[in-house]
Amino acid sequence: MTPIDLRSDTVTRPTVAMRAAMAAAEVGDDVFGEDPTVNRLQGTVAELLGKEAGLFVPSGTMANQLALGTLTRPGDEVVCDAAAHCISFEGGGLAALWGVQPRPIAAPRGILEPEAVEAALRPVADHYPRTRVIEVENTHNRGGGAVYPLARVQALGALARKHGLDLYMDGARLWNASAASGVSLADFAAPAALVSVCLSKGLGAPAGSVLCGPRDHVATARRLRKRLGGGMRQAGILAAAGLHAIEHHRTRLTEDHANARRLGQLVAALPGAKLLHPVDTNLVFVIFEGQSAAELTKRFAAAGVLGLPEGSRPDLVRFITHLDVSAAQIEEAGRRLAGALGA
Ligand SMILES: Cc1ncc(COP(=O)(O)O)c(C=O)c1O
């Protein structure tokens, strides 16, 4: 039985057409700024986000860390929600790389409330760390794929401006946020000084993110990228996959969202299961109250459906839909999960 892999939208494999685009890519040495395909990708994404410049980096984690490193100095503080990817899943990078501390704020589904953020800003005094950045994540991973309302992003941008701070947007799944809400990438990005988007999640490229913003910030990020060893040479092979993904896999993200909504209906009908959040994009978070997610996911895997224990509570299982699962496989996943639970 072929497993239906719903652990993450990062498990997709490049399509035949994407591999052909990669094979045909014109390349050069990107550390010298001479890879035409990387340059085209950076320009394309910057334009989509309404920013001056873009920087191709190997991963979403590096994009986040470069952005936060660019906007801060040691001893500064970054205000973010308590479940933010940049402080939950990036190996303590903020502290280890930049000497910066987070100011985590509890926020429903990870969507920051301006009043709570304003209350957390430090007064200017010798005693305090210097608040420097407000960080938002759109869509929010641990918030179950929640989409920021545009007005909220704008309010946080206005708050940042009022206090002389920068807004940074981790838009690893901004493509999904835009597809689900109809808000353009550029409108979501406008209030933020720097924004990153990931090519290897819903879009299905094998690697890479693009960090976009004003030319001087992107130049700083480029220098930091070199320091971290993220300068790649004939990276146009990978950039070509990203360009192909943007051109061919963007509009179909709504299919992933429809599949996730359907999966949500199917799992909510399982014995002992309930959805933690409404399904807004491609993430489905299911609580099996009082049961062990670690044990359950083993049982599901044996039945041919892969999910992940989400980790923020012991009974929470995460499923994510993506390019490599069809609507028919979602129906089959529902049957297999029901079988695994003896339903
Ligand atoms: C919201 C968010 N930001 C950043 C990342 C990091 O991306 P990468 O795995 O490419 O380092 C992820 C990964 O899942 C994510 O969900």
Side-chain angles (χ1 to χ4, degrees):
M1 178 176 32
T2 311
I4 299 169
D5 193 346
L6 300 170
R7 287 171 300 163
S8 176
D9 47 7
T10 57
V11 300
T12 56
R13 295 187 173 86
T15 61
V16 171
M18 183 180 278
R19 286 171 192 261
M22 295 170 78
E26 228 189 307
V27 295
D29 189 329
D30 181 49
V31 171
F32 295 146
E34 291 172 2
D35 188 302
T37 310
V38 169
N39 291 340
R40 193 151 60 83
L41 173 68
Q42 290 174 163
T44 300
V45 178
E47 195 177 325
L48 282 171
L49 294 177
K51 301 294 183 197
E52 261 178 14
L55 182 70
F56 185 45
V57 299
S59 67
T61 298
M62 192 180 286
N64 280 347
Q65 293 301 324
L66 292 180
L68 296 170
T70 295
L71 299 174
T72 58
R73 286 190 315 220
D76 285 352
E77 200 162 71
V78 170
V79 178
C80 60
D81 76 275
H85 194 280
C86 64
I87 61 166
S88 303
F89 298 119
E90 299 184 9
L94 209 53
L97 296 169
W98 319 119
V100 166
Q101 66 185 35
R103 184 77 189 267
I105 299 182
R109 299 194 70 185
I111 305 298
L112 286 169
E113 292 162 326
E115 305 72 29
V117 172
E118 191 156 33
L121 303 181
R122 305 285 191 172
V124 178
D126 289 349
H127 305 283
Y128 298 117
R130 191 177 67 136
T131 309
R132 193 65 275 290
V133 176
I134 300 169
E135 192 266 0
V136 295
E137 188 175 310
N138 193 15
T139 65
H140 199 285
N141 181 332
R142 286 208 128 163
V147 180
Y148 257 91
L150 178 61
R152 187 69 67 87
V153 181
Q154 290 168 336
L156 290 165
L159 184 66
R161 269 197 313 283
K162 176 175 151 196
H163 291 277
L165 312 176
D166 285 314
L167 185 71
Y168 167 58
M169 182 178 287
D170 170 354
R173 294 187 181 80
L174 193 62
W175 314 103
N176 298 82
S178 175
S181 64
V183 173
S184 74
L185 296 166
D187 282 348
F188 268 137
L194 285 169
V195 184
S196 66
V197 288
C198 189
L199 303 164
S200 68
K201 300 195 168 65
L203 289 191
S209 284
V210 184
L211 177 64
C212 294
R215 231 176 279 290
D216 56 341
H217 280 346
V218 170
T220 304
R222 187 178 172 88
R223 183 177 156 70
L224 297 179
R225 183 187 71 172
K226 191 79 183 89
R227 182 183 288 169
L228 297 186
M232 297 182 286
R233 302 294 179 171
Q234 286 71 35
I237 302 260
L238 291 171
L243 282 163
H244 179 89
I246 292 168
E247 194 178 335
H248 299 283
H249 298 166
R250 238 184 104 192
T251 49
R252 61 152 308 286
L253 287 172
T254 47
E255 290 173 35
D256 292 347
H257 300 170
N259 285 342
R261 280 194 301 276
R262 175 64 183 146
L263 183 65
Q265 289 171 347
L266 292 169
V267 294
L270 295 172
K274 81 168 188 257
L275 292 181
L276 179 59
H277 304 300
V279 178
D280 295 338
T281 52
N282 63 330
L283 277 65
V284 182
F285 280 18
V286 201
I287 296 173
F288 292 88
E289 207 142 355
Q291 301 188 60
S292 154
E295 286 306 315
L296 278 173
T297 48
K298 279 187 209 149
R299 238 203 284 168
F300 295 158
V305 179
L306 307 183
L308 280 184
E310 202 276 338
S312 55
R313 47 185 282 176
D315 57 359
L316 183 59
V317 175
R318 171 187 111 165
F319 298 108
I320 303 192
T321 58
H322 53 77
L323 182 61
D324 288 356
V325 279
S326 63
Q329 283 175 305
I330 293 297
E331 299 299 327
E332 176 59 18
R335 284 189 288 273
R336 291 182 186 180
L337 291 170
L341 294 174

